Amino acid sequence: RTRMTRRKPLCFEEVENLPQDITKSSTADSNANPSKATLRRTLSLADLILYGVGCSVGAGIYCLVGLGAEIAGPGIALSFALCGVACVFTALAYGEFAARIPVTGSAYVYAYVTFGEFVAWLVGWNLTLNYAFSASVVARSWAEYLAAFIRGLPYFDARGLELLWLTRMKLYYVPFVPETYTCSPLSIVIVALCTAVLVTGAQESSNFNNAMTVLNLGMLGFVVFAGLGSGTVESENLTPFFPEGFGGVLRGSGLVFFAFIGFDMVACLSEEVKNPEKNMPLGIVGTLVATTGIYVAVALVVIGMAPFDLLGGDVPIVNALLANGCCTHEEQLIDAK
């Protein structure tokens, strides 16, 4: 076989010009031989789960719950659960690979070891496109929520400024682009800020991610407890649970599946986590379980707070809160019609 297609051994020591040693003693070897230096192992199991939840929980709740409800109705909660079950098998595979090959690189390294460089190259670019697509959706969702917050400030609200250019700038001067396409400058700013945080270092970005994840989960927890505690979750909004039948639930699963992109990012931290043989499988599976539970709980509460026809596809959580702040349940049903 050629070098591009031959399978690589699990231990890179036997092959010249390969990225790094992946044996369990890589940390000790890096101290003895600087040429084999690896990343510092500073991350714990809690860091892994918070990192995975921070990478996953976002677009799945903040925008897709509204879009998915238009397809599957309240059954979108079951769509999230089905996606979680489907991802379990992938999570177990990632956990096994991450424990056996505890180095940075995720699926790229696994394909490199198993199938060779060409397949690994294809997998690497596929992952890059995958993450770029999901990151763009999350960034636009963040931008919509931030723009809604800015428009609600007294200064802008009193003057009736909608500031549409923040998230929906027309591309009049770009050739070959349809007029219906828009640009979100605020999303670009968000991506740039996240990139600036990431390049500061693994531990620093992990601390920032942990803080943002706790804040994110706190807000989602507030929505859940506010909906349940205030009695605004109406069983009538959850019936019929399958307005489009089980086929609608499956179509909803196809829409929200990419919301689970992120749990596999934990595998990229193999070389920076303490005791990777134990913590990597637990971190990957734990991230998936936590993410699925959050998606299902929030989806049920948000849809129960307002008829899904009122949620919209941009800011469904905000729309659910506003619907309960200004209208009674009977008025919501009238507006939904």
Side-chain angles (χ1 to χ4, degrees), residues 280-298:
M280 288 306 302
L282 292 177
I284 294 173
V285 176
T287 293
L288 182 60
V289 171
T291 299
T292 304
I294 292 169
Y295 283 163
V296 172
V298 176

Side-chain angles (χ1 to χ4, degrees), residues 75-209:
I76 193 64
L78 181 58
S79 298
F80 280 117
L82 291 178
C83 288
V85 173
C87 289
V88 164
F89 302 102
T90 303
L92 293 176
Y94 266 97
E96 175 70 16
F97 271 120
R100 290 173 61 100
I101 313 174
V103 297
T104 299
S106 185
Y108 170 81
V109 169
Y110 309 152
Y112 189 91
V113 170
T114 308
F115 298 108
E117 294 179 5
F118 179 70
V119 174
W121 182 81
L122 294 177
V123 170
W125 276 110
N126 185 48
L127 288 174
T128 301
L129 293 174
N130 189 10
Y131 295 138
F133 173 73
S134 60
S136 64
V137 174
V138 173
R140 293 208 67 152
S141 179
W142 279 20
E144 291 288 349
Y145 277 91
L146 183 57
F149 172 78
I150 294 174
R151 285 193 292 268
L153 296 176
Y155 177 84
F156 299 101
D157 186 49
R159 290 165 175 76
L161 300 177
E162 296 187 0
L163 303 176
L164 293 179
W165 61 271
L166 286 176
T167 57
R168 301 179 186 276
M169 177 183 289
K170 295 291 185 179
L171 303 176
Y172 296 112
Y173 304 105
V174 180
F176 310 113
V177 175
E179 295 182 358
T180 56
Y181 282 40
T182 60
C183 175
S184 177
L186 196 54
S187 301
I188 299 174
V189 174
I190 291 173
V191 172
L193 292 176
C194 291
T195 303
V197 172
L198 287 174
V199 299
T200 59
Q203 188 61 53
E204 292 76 7
S205 59
S206 175
N207 293 336
F208 177 81
N209 177 76

Side-chain angles (χ1 to χ4, degrees), residues 221-246:
F222 168 77
V223 172
V224 172
F225 287 111
L228 296 176
S230 63
T232 54
V233 176
E234 299 285 346
S235 59
E236 188 175 356
N237 292 333
L238 298 174
T239 55
F241 198 76
F242 304 116
E244 301 298 329
F246 193 70

Side-chain angles (χ1 to χ4, degrees), residues 232-318:
T232 54
V233 176
E234 299 285 346
S235 59
E236 188 175 356
N237 292 333
L238 298 174
T239 55
F241 198 76
F242 304 116
E244 301 298 329
F246 193 70
V249 174
L250 295 179
R251 291 194 299 273
S253 297
L255 174 67
V256 304
F257 186 83
F258 95 93
F260 285 84
I261 294 174
F263 78 88
D264 56 314
M265 285 292 292
V266 175
C268 294
L269 302 179
S270 295
E271 202 171 346
E272 301 172 73
V273 66
K274 304 172 185 176
N275 193 9
E277 293 79 9
K278 174 184 177 181
N279 288 335
M280 288 306 302
L282 292 177
I284 294 173
V285 176
T287 293
L288 182 60
V289 171
T291 299
T292 304
I294 292 169
Y295 283 163
V296 172
V298 176
L300 286 174
V301 171
V302 170
I303 296 175
M305 291 174 65
F308 59 83
D309 292 329
L310 300 180
L311 296 179
D314 292 329
V315 287
I317 294 179
V318 170

